[in-house]
Amino acid sequence: MKEIHSYWAYIVLAILIFTVVNAIIGLSKKKQFTDKDLRLGLFTLIVSHIQLLIGVALYIYEGRYANIAETMKVNEARLLALEHPLIMIIAIVLITIGWSKHKKKAEAAAKFKTFAIFYGAALFLVLSRIPWSNWF
């Protein structure tokens, strides 16, 4: 299950970066918000939620919450047991809020701006708490 979570993370990261860059380009070039942009945002939402489900299952399976007092004393263990899950949940909440808010906007610029802000903030959070030592 850990391998699935790790490999799926590459997909999430790639599609999230692509969506944020697409939103920034769409906003700066004043493009129309097309079905492609809508699907890209939706696909990002879906793959991130799948990653969340895999991560929650892995968290429960590995029992990282056991002996939390000792875990907090070790930086790497604290990252994996507390910081990574918490920040990733916040990032997925931001993606979900961005998706919901963009649907209420009528203008293309407002839709792109919503994606750029919320998905961009989520990307920043994701990049800040990826356990890089486990990836390389």
Side-chain angles (χ1 to χ4, degrees), residues 5-135:
H5 185 66
S6 293
Y7 289 125
W8 196 261
Y10 287 111
I11 296 168
V12 172
L13 190 57
I15 194 72
L16 185 56
I17 290 169
F18 190 73
T19 303
V20 170
V21 169
N22 181 66
I24 292 169
I25 291 170
L27 185 60
S28 65
K29 293 190 175 185
K30 298 182 171 116
K31 291 185 173 185
Q32 287 297 317
F33 194 84
T34 64
D35 286 342
K36 176 195 76 105
D37 303 310
L38 178 79
R39 288 188 193 108
L40 189 57
L42 179 60
F43 188 62
T44 305
L45 177 80
I46 291 169
V47 297
S48 64
H49 279 82
I50 291 171
Q51 178 71 340
L52 174 66
L53 293 175
I54 296 168
V56 167
L58 180 63
Y59 190 82
I60 292 169
Y61 176 74
E62 287 190 348
R64 293 206 183 266
Y65 51 85
N67 199 1
I68 200 74
E70 290 299 316
T71 301
M72 293 299 117
K73 295 176 184 175
V74 181
N75 287 342
E76 179 74 18
R78 186 178 59 244
L79 172 68
L80 294 175
L82 178 69
E83 295 171 4
H84 175 76
L86 182 62
I87 296 299
M88 295 307 159
I89 289 169
I90 293 169
I92 292 171
V93 166
L94 286 172
I95 290 170
T96 305
I97 291 170
W99 173 256
S100 296
K101 285 191 168 289
H102 107 277
K103 293 190 294 184
K104 298 175 185 171
K105 309 290 183 188
E107 299 171 3
K111 289 178 180 275
F112 281 126
K113 184 177 181 182
T114 301
F115 274 175
I117 291 170
F118 284 94
Y119 284 43
L123 176 61
F124 175 77
L125 290 176
V126 166
L127 291 173
S128 76
R129 286 299 172 255
I130 289 176
W132 295 105
S133 61
N134 292 358
W135 269 28

